[in-house]
Amino acid sequence: MKLTITGFSNSGKTTVFNALTGLNLPVTTYPTVITPELEPQIGMVKVPDVRIERLTAVFDPKKTTYATVEYVDYAGITKGDVSHNAKVFNLLKDADAVVHVVRAFEDESIIHPMGSVDTVRDVKSFEAELILGDLELVEKRLQKIEEQAKKGKKQDEADKHLLLKCKKALEEEVSLRNLEFNEEEKRLMLPYQFLSTMPEIIALNIGERDINSDKIKNFQNEIEAYFKSAGQSSVPPVLSLCGKIEMEIAQLPPEEAKVFLEDLGIAEPAMNMLCRISYAALGLISFFTVGKDEVRAWTIKKGTSAQQAAGKIHSDIERGFIRAEVVSYEDYVSSGEDMVKAKEKGLFRLEGKTYPVRDGDIINFKFNV
Ligand SMILES: Nc1nc2c(ncn2[C@@H]2O[C@H](COP(=O)(O)OP(=O)(O)OP(=O)(O)O)[C@@H](O)[C@H]2O)c(=O)[nH]1
Ligand SMILES: [Mg+2]
């Protein structure tokens, strides 16, 4: 599962990427220029999960495996520069969601491509660029259909109808994620990978002095109000974080990081939350397997059946599935972290093939090969 970090130049994308991944890519006071040598940077990040920490403490396994997500950092987009942005957008198309970094920190020494900090303007401009990118694709495709029609080729009416529907919305500056599509349309849309349908998470990159300030709460409220007024069917999560400090924290040993965070009045690194929100934005949940060898989080899409979930571990377990023995993490904790007690309390469930696995289920699969 892949999330691309994006946003305008100098908003702090690489800083946030470093904070998330603990890597140390160079950050610059000038905008990164796209050259043939510029490669997207990729980092895998463990999804922080106290439940996994707890289970590890109880089972003391040889190995603990967290769920992971992949982040990508590249150059930023530039307002109105369609050909430059197309290169950035190509990369977005490959992602499952975008983390949109919006600059909220003031710093005279770092050029702001739009001249000043204005978070709502940047959010609107970004949305407009996504819409423009989609509109270009739709128009090109419609043109092709027309050319083929002239040559006497049979037209794909359903495809054309869908494209015209998208075009109308995009021309009215409506993102495609706000439109209703039926199942057939959704299927036809998939190969286009429209930008404005992507799940988005907004990360407000705030200044060191603005942590927990009202100013930032106002920025957050204004952005949410904008999305609501723009008729968005769902408002993207808006999160504030100080990239610069979090990047420093990510380089520290855990104990020092803890003290540093406490001094600053930060309960938990915002990066943890960003990572968890990313996971949820992708529609992902975790189930756990536990034992002396390994405590492990497995990533599945919400709604995955027990039998399919078994296939994540091994195709044999899916094929020879008999049943799933399930205790939810909450029930396990309320039984004093004791499976026997959970059984006595009737919280230990036997589930069949079609049981939709829930986030936090601790599962033991019974199978036969
Ligand atoms: N004061 C302050 N400076 C920051 C913060 N976040 C990033 N910066 C600085 O802003 C500059 C740009 O940060 P980058 O992370 O390189 O920004 P970017 O979005 O990756 O920039 P491009 O890739 O060039 O588009 C660097 O000098 C950072 O140190 C912050 O929270 N506070
Ligand atoms: Mg950068």
Side-chain angles (χ1 to χ4, degrees):
M1 286 294 162
K2 190 146 110 185
L3 290 110
T4 296
I5 300 174
T6 189
F8 290 106
S9 299
N10 271 358
S11 53
K13 297 178 296 299
T14 304
T15 306
V16 169
F17 177 84
N18 284 343
L20 277 165
T21 58
L23 295 173
N24 208 351
L25 302 183
V27 295
T28 49
T29 52
Y30 51 84
T32 304
V33 180
I34 298 182
T35 61
E37 290 78 41
L38 186 72
E39 292 278 345
Q41 299 292 325
I42 298 169
M44 295 295 288
V45 178
K46 280 187 207 163
V47 180
D49 192 332
V50 286
R51 299 171 300 184
I52 280 286
E53 283 169 32
R54 218 27 248 153
L55 291 169
T56 298
V58 175
F59 286 90
D60 191 24
K62 292 192 194 112
K63 188 175 163 199
T64 297
T65 309
Y66 284 78
T68 55
V69 285
E70 188 179 332
Y71 288 96
V72 183
D73 178 42
Y74 193 58
I77 62 164
T78 304
K79 195 173 156 75
D81 189 341
V82 178
S83 70
H84 167 97
N85 292 348
K87 291 178 194 143
V88 180
F89 288 157
N90 264 339
L91 201 74
L92 291 195
K93 288 193 177 251
D94 198 25
D96 301 290
V98 293
V99 175
H100 175 197
V101 178
V102 179
R103 175 160 166 182
F105 68 89
E106 305 267 0
D107 193 331
E108 294 284 316
S109 64
I110 296 154
I111 304 162
H112 193 304
M114 260 86 82
S116 63
V117 170
D118 183 338
T119 53
V120 175
R121 176 203 60 208
D122 292 357
V123 168
K124 280 187 200 167
S125 305
F126 181 79
E127 207 61 27
E129 296 298 334
L130 295 183
I131 287 172
L132 267 181
D134 283 346
L135 190 56
E136 220 193 38
L137 174 64
V138 166
E139 283 174 343
K140 266 196 195 143
R141 183 72 198 137
L142 279 168
Q143 206 179 345
K144 209 165 209 169
I145 292 178
E146 207 125 291
E147 279 164 16
Q148 285 180 333
K150 277 193 194 133
K151 286 186 199 152
K153 277 200 184 142
K154 198 172 166 290
Q155 288 199 32
D156 185 341
E157 287 301 328
D159 196 26
K160 189 174 166 188
H161 186 261
L162 168 74
L163 290 166
L164 287 170
K165 174 174 170 179
C166 293
K167 184 169 183 244
K168 182 168 178 289
L170 294 164
E171 281 174 343
E172 288 164 4
E173 292 176 27
V174 173
S175 316
L176 297 180
R177 66 172 87 85
N178 294 321
L179 253 54
E180 295 271 345
F181 294 101
N182 62 33
E183 289 308 312
E184 168 71 357
E185 288 173 324
K186 281 184 194 158
R187 194 181 57 76
L188 287 172
M189 272 172 86
L190 273 182
Y192 292 118
Q193 298 179 294
F194 288 118
L195 299 162
S196 68
T197 56
M198 279 208 157
E200 184 181 346
I201 299 149
I202 295 181
L204 277 180
N205 187 15
I206 65 176
E208 299 80 310
R209 276 157 306 200
D210 294 329
I211 294 170
N212 298 332
S213 77
D214 286 342
K215 179 171 124 189
I216 299 303
K217 284 197 196 89
N218 287 340
F219 283 165
Q220 254 168 305
N221 293 339
E222 281 166 15
I223 291 171
E224 281 165 2
Y226 154 68
F227 277 109
K228 281 183 192 145
S229 72
Q232 289 267 29
S233 38
S234 65
V235 177
V238 185
L239 188 87
S240 63
L241 48 94
C242 178
K244 200 169 178 176
I245 289 183
E246 299 250 349
M247 179 176 144
E248 286 169 25
I249 294 170
Q251 314 283 336
L252 293 175
E255 273 313 304
E256 279 177 48
K258 206 169 149 224
V259 176
F260 194 39
L261 284 167
E262 274 165 15
D263 284 351
L264 287 164
I266 303 175
E268 189 194 13
M271 290 306 143
N272 287 9
M273 208 191 302
L274 177 56
C275 200
R276 281 199 299 266
I277 292 177
S278 301
Y279 199 65
L282 296 171
L284 301 176
I285 56 171
S286 299
F287 73 87
F288 307 123
T289 52
V290 295
K292 278 281 158 216
D293 282 332
E294 191 181 22
V295 164
R296 178 161 182 166
W298 299 87
T299 303
I300 48 170
K301 281 256 174 207
K302 220 170 158 178
T304 301
S305 71
Q307 189 173 19
Q308 289 168 323
K312 277 269 157 190
I313 302 174
H314 201 286
S315 54
D316 282 351
I317 309 181
E318 182 173 4
R319 221 172 325 116
F321 183 97
I322 300 170
R323 63 174 178 271
E325 301 175 345
V326 185
V327 184
S328 75
Y329 177 78
E330 283 75 28
D331 287 345
Y332 176 67
V333 171
S334 74
S335 311
E337 297 180 336
D338 185 338
M339 284 296 177
V340 178
K341 277 214 189 95
K343 267 186 197 166
E344 284 166 8
K345 289 168 83 176
L347 298 171
F348 186 89
R349 292 174 275 130
L350 300 181
E351 302 284 2
K353 288 179 181 176
T354 57
Y355 166 72
V357 174
R358 293 193 215 129
D359 186 45
D361 279 348
I362 302 169
I363 307 185
N364 180 33
F365 291 105
K366 290 287 172 198
F367 66 106
N368 186 349
V369 280

